Each structure stands twice: as structure tokens, then as C-alpha cells.
Amino acid sequence: RGTCNSAFFWPCPSCGRHPTAGSFIRPHKVNFGVDFLTAIKNRYVLEDEPKEEETEQIVIIGNKPVETIGFDSVIKQQSQLSKLQDVSLRNCAVNGAGDKGEIAKACPNIRSIDLSKNLLSSWEEVIDIADQLKHLEVLNLSENKLTSPSSSPSPTGTFPTLKVLVLNRTGVTWAEVLRCASGWPVLEKLYLESNNIIISERPTDVLQTVKLLDLSSNQLIDENQLFLIAYLPRLEQLILSDIGISSIHFPDAGIGCKTSMFPSLQYLVLNDNQIAQWSFMNELDKLQSLHALSCTRNPLTEGSKDAQTTRQFIIARIGQLRTLNKCAIEPEERRGAELDYRKAFGNEWKKAGGHQDPEKNRPNEEFLAAHPRYQALCLKYGAPEDGELKTQQPFLLKNQLLTLKIKYPNQHDQKVIEKQLPDSMTVQKVKGLLSRLLKVPVSELLLSYESPKMPGKEVELENDLQPLRFYSVENGDCLLVRW
């Protein structure tokens, strides 16, 4: 290495984290980078500013001269670094802070910086920059290969106002995160995507203010590691996409009980994982604050041919859920999902010891473990009756025919008729059928229904793309048609 004059030995992140790992590179291809302030000036200061008395300029756009008024003031405003608040220096070859104190003098009001994909190689360099920005709230350091700090930041905090920190693809370890975290006393959002992180210890005195934690694409994380962060008091959003998780169990909570873990967790993202068992959803019902869930591209959600049934079963199993896969769960959808779920597993419930008589209703532990909310649904809607259970085959009901009465509340001269319609028929197709029958444009038709089971209540069929079974329309119900 020492005898080669035509090439440098350059540390190489792709070769691993070993201190002597690297590769040779030719000198003319080496970019040694610039300091922070130089990068700021290169991007935000325009040279050859016009004089103050110049208020009009001629700019050539295409082949036409265009007169501009006030253009000089825009240039001057851009060049006033002291007014900068949001700064992006992505891929600008920043290698450090530069001369001490110069950043604080030139641009003291910066609140947000994107320093992703630069040449920062150590936490010390980051701290040298951040120490001069007393109002810094957002910092993105993604794709900088940062080495571990030589010592922990001072207890008073190196980033006293920092609320958002992005460390995606930096090679940071969990131990390094905890070592530095005492310098982030008010941090609310922490992004740690794609770092091969292993959660090795519980954060006891740090990260207590974090509301959002993104651990996506860290394939070495398992459910036991997640329990180490389960008592962060303010954690509201947890992003666990693409970590390979397939199971979870909260050992402190039995059937129908809530866990003390993740006490503030409201939004959980589990996309692109290996979830294949309904028991996973049963466990999520134990989270006391969970209101929103995303779980797309998992075997459980992708393997079924009937995506709508899968959605209904997830809704029925997690009682407090308000949003699933970014779609709001309206009260009517929840009611329909829970009624269908109750009906779908009614025969299994009876075989396990379930009974319409509350005094005889004692399903076995195996059934309760597989369907922990079933008893609660029986209390809410009543136990399923034998007549409901005769046709119980949820995945074969696609073409079940419903005999429905059709009324026209606003058209008294129209007679009530009966029609047999498949419960898989969408509201849009029902409208099309009625449009041809009544000679009324589809766009003018409004549909709702009423059921003998809900006297005095009318349910609007507001989503044209949903099938009748989505709204729990049953035999003997009455479609109400208005135009």
C-alpha cells in the first residue's frame, strides 16, 4: 500500500465495518469533499448579484426577451444565509463543519437539514455542525457511513432542540443509538431503516420522548427484541415493514385482556412480512391503544382469493381498530364484519360447547384461544341461531342468492317487487339492473336498505364498488330505491 504512487487506499463501506477494509482508487477520481458552509454557499448563494438600483432585468426564455421586475431582490434574499431555515445538501460531498464558529455566524436560523448521501464519516463531524445550530429540529444523515463516537455526548445535550432524526442506511448499531441518544432530549421521530440492527438492550433513560420509531428492513429483529422497546412511554407509531416477523405473543395478557406493553401505540405498520396465522391478529387485539394497522403483502393477506373476507376477519378480530391499510373502518363496515365473522364460525363454536342459552354457553379453551373475541360478539349481537348456521361456509358464499323486496319510497305508483340477487353483486351492478328496469339513469339512483332485525333503521349503500354482503344485506331485507 505504501509503495503505490498511482492510487489511494480508500476506506470502503461496502467492504464491511472492519477498520482496515477498503479498496484502491485512482487519485483523479477521488472527491475529498467540502465543508458545510462551502456546500451551503455553492447551493444557496448566487454569484454576481445585481446592484440595489437595478430593479428591472431582461431574461431570454427561448428566443424571447422577458422583462423581470424585482428579480434582483429574489437573488438577494436567497443569498442571505442568515434567513435560511430549511436546507437540503443531499449528495453535496459535505465532509465536515469547517472553521469553528463559522456556521453559527453565517446561518444561525437553520431548523431542518438534509445531509443524506454525503462524506460525513464520524459522529464528531456531525456534532461539530449541530453544535452551531441552536434551533435545529430536523436532521437527515441517511447514507453516511458514520463511525461510533469516541464518547457519549454531554448530558446537557448536543442536539437540544432536535425532534426528527433520520439514520437510514448509515450502518448505525443499536448500541450506538443508545450511546448517542442522551444528546437527543426532545427527540420525537427516529428512523433507522436498513441498518442490520439487533435490539440488544432496553432503553431505560433515553428515547423516552420518541413517538415514532421506524425499524423497517432490519431483518435480524424478532419478537423478543421488540419486547425490549415495549415500554417506551410515548411510542405512538411503530414501523416494522420487511423485518421478516411471523409471530408475536404478549405473555402478560390472557384471552380477552390487554397487555401492558406498548401502552401508547396507536399505529402499527407490518407490511412485507411473513405473517401467516390468524393468531397474530388475535394478539394485536391485546394492544390497548391500537387504532390503525397496515399489514399488506403478508401470506395471510395475499394467500386468500377473497380479500374482502380477509379484511372483515381482521376487523372482527381487532375490536378497537379504526383504520386498516389506510382505509377508514366505518361503523357499518365493522358491524357487517363482526356479524359475518360470528356467522362464519358459528358451527365451530357450537361443536366446541357454545350454546344459545347463556347458562350452557361454555366453549372450550381451544376455541377461545383461536377466536378470543367470539364471546364478546355473542354478547354484542346475540348468539348465532341455528337458522343462520345452516349455510355457514364463508368462502363458498360468493354466489349465495338473496331474496329481497324492492320499494320506492318517493314513487307511490311503483309496486313493491321481489328480486333474487347474489350477495356478491356490487352496488353499482344493482343500480345498473334497476336503471334498465325503471328507465332511470344510474347516476340518479340512491340505494339503501332496511332489515327486520333493525326496525326503524335505514342503511345507505354508499360505496358502489362494494358487494351487498359488505353491508350485511340478508334474505328478507328490503332495498329502498330513490331518484
Side-chain angles (χ1 to χ4, degrees):
R1 186 166 80 184
T3 60
C4 181
N5 295 321
S6 61
F8 291 111
F9 183 79
W10 198 259
C12 177
S14 63
C15 297
R17 295 176 63 86
H18 194 277
T20 61
S23 59
F24 287 98
I25 187 170
R26 296 191 179 280
H28 69 276
K29 293 186 176 182
V30 176
N31 183 352
F32 292 99
V34 297
D35 62 73
F36 180 88
L37 201 54
T38 299
I40 286 273
K41 291 176 179 177
N42 288 344
R43 173 154 290 192
Y44 290 95
V45 177
L46 300 179
E47 296 179 0
D48 301 324
E49 295 181 25
K51 297 177 182 178
E52 284 191 22
E53 61 268 23
E54 292 178 338
T55 58
E56 298 182 6
Q57 293 188 36
I58 303 299
V59 177
I60 304 299
I61 299 179
N63 295 320
K64 295 182 179 180
V66 178
E67 184 179 83
T68 64
I69 300 176
F71 188 72
D72 55 342
S73 64
V74 175
I75 296 176
K76 186 175 181 180
Q77 184 178 6
Q78 286 184 323
S79 68
Q80 290 176 336
L81 300 184
S82 63
K83 294 183 179 180
L84 283 177
Q85 293 190 7
D86 300 318
V87 171
S88 176
L89 295 178
R90 176 174 171 79
N91 202 17
C92 286
V94 176
N95 61 12
D99 294 337
K100 188 173 182 179
E102 291 301 311
I103 297 175
K105 291 179 185 177
C107 39
N109 292 310
I110 290 178
R111 283 170 164 73
S112 173
I113 309 175
D114 182 354
L115 280 170
S116 59
K117 207 171 184 179
N118 276 289
L119 301 178
L120 299 168
S121 60
S122 72
W123 275 100
E124 281 79 3
E125 292 168 355
V126 176
I127 291 171
D128 287 344
I129 294 171
D131 266 343
Q132 301 182 58
L133 301 172
K134 301 305 180 185
H135 305 290
L136 186 62
E137 296 180 0
V138 180
L139 176 59
N140 187 347
L141 296 170
S142 298
E143 299 178 82
N144 289 279
K145 296 301 179 181
L146 303 174
T147 58
S148 177
S150 56
S151 61
S152 297
S154 63
T156 55
T158 307
F159 306 80
T161 59
L162 191 65
K163 293 181 179 179
V164 180
L165 178 59
V166 187
L167 296 173
N168 299 336
R169 295 175 295 282
T170 57
V172 67
T173 68
W174 185 251
E176 290 168 358
V177 168
L178 297 189
R179 193 179 308 135
C180 297
S182 60
W184 316 326
V186 297
L187 191 69
E188 295 181 359
K189 298 180 180 181
L190 177 59
Y191 296 85
L192 298 171
E193 180 183 335
S194 301
N195 285 303
N196 289 321
I197 279 177
I198 296 176
I199 302 176
S200 52
E201 57 183 300
R202 183 175 171 177
T204 51
D205 300 321
V206 294
L207 304 182
Q208 302 300 296
T209 58
V210 168
K211 296 180 179 180
L212 182 153
L213 180 60
D214 184 353
L215 294 167
S216 298
S217 301
N218 288 288
Q219 295 281 339
L220 302 177
I221 293 176
D222 59 28
E223 63 173 304
N224 292 321
Q225 293 177 46
L226 293 178
F227 294 155
L228 294 175
I229 59 170
Y231 294 98
L232 290 174
R234 299 186 185 178
L235 185 61
E236 297 176 358
Q237 299 184 54
L238 181 58
I239 304 174
L240 300 175
S241 295
D242 188 32
I243 67 168
I245 194 170
S246 60
S247 64
I248 196 165
H249 174 64
F250 300 108
D252 65 327
I255 295 173
C257 300
K258 298 297 183 184
T259 178
S260 61
M261 299 183 185
F262 299 102
S264 301
L265 187 61
Q266 298 178 24
Y267 181 33
L268 178 61
V269 180
L270 292 166
N271 301 332
D272 301 292
N273 279 295
Q274 300 301 317
I275 301 167
Q277 302 297 324
W278 284 110
S279 57
F280 200 110
M281 300 301 158
N282 294 340
E283 289 297 307
L284 295 186
D285 185 56
K286 295 179 179 179
L287 294 169
Q288 55 188 288
S289 302
L290 186 67
H291 294 150
L293 172 68
S294 281
C295 58
T296 58
R297 297 180 299 278
N298 279 275
L300 184 67
T301 57
E302 300 300 310
S304 171
K305 294 181 180 179
D306 193 338
Q308 184 57 43
T309 300
T310 302
R311 177 178 171 88
Q312 286 184 309
F313 283 5
I314 292 174
I315 292 170
R317 288 173 185 266
I318 306 176
Q320 70 275 23
L321 213 57
R322 298 175 189 168
T323 303
L324 177 58
N325 297 332
K326 298 185 179 180
C327 292
I329 302 169
E330 301 297 339
E332 287 304 321
E333 182 181 11
R334 171 160 292 285
R335 177 184 173 278
E338 292 179 341
L339 284 171
D340 283 355
Y341 179 84
R342 166 182 157 276
K343 183 191 297 184
F345 296 97
N347 281 334
E348 189 177 330
W349 166 77
K350 284 192 70 175
K351 290 177 183 178
H355 200 282
Q356 281 89 356
D357 184 346
E359 294 184 3
K360 298 179 181 179
N361 182 23
R362 295 184 181 86
N364 59 36
E365 290 185 8
E366 184 180 357
F367 178 85
L368 293 177
H371 305 280
R373 288 201 73 228
Y374 199 89
Q375 292 289 77
L377 296 181
C378 287
L379 288 173
K380 184 175 181 180
Y381 299 106
E385 299 177 1
D386 291 341
E388 295 180 83
L389 304 182
K390 287 179 182 178
T391 57
Q392 178 269 331
Q393 287 181 7
F395 292 103
L396 300 178
L397 285 177
K398 238 178 185 179
N399 297 310
Q400 181 188 351
L401 289 178
L402 305 174
T403 301
L404 305 174
K405 293 179 180 179
I406 301 179
K407 294 181 181 179
Y408 314 92
N410 297 340
Q411 310 293 329
H412 301 294
D413 56 332
Q414 294 280 356
K415 293 182 180 180
V416 177
I417 62 172
E418 278 194 359
K419 281 283 183 183
Q420 283 193 322
L421 303 175
D423 69 348
S424 60
M425 194 172 192
T426 64
V427 174
Q428 181 68 33
K429 289 183 178 179
V430 175
K431 286 183 176 180
L433 176 67
L434 293 169
S435 173
R436 293 189 293 274
L437 183 68
L438 301 168
K439 310 300 183 191
V440 177
V442 170
S443 59
E444 295 182 15
L445 294 177
L446 297 174
L447 299 189
S448 59
Y449 85 96
E450 56 187 11
S451 170
K453 294 182 178 180
M454 301 182 296
K457 185 172 182 180
E458 187 175 331
V459 179
E460 184 181 351
L461 306 182
E462 57 186 1
N463 190 334
D464 285 353
L465 301 180
Q466 294 292 358
L468 292 174
R469 66 168 173 261
F470 175 82
Y471 292 99
S472 298
V473 180
E474 297 180 347
N475 264 324
D477 288 349
C478 183
L479 279 182
L480 304 176
V481 186
R482 295 181 175 89
W483 66 91

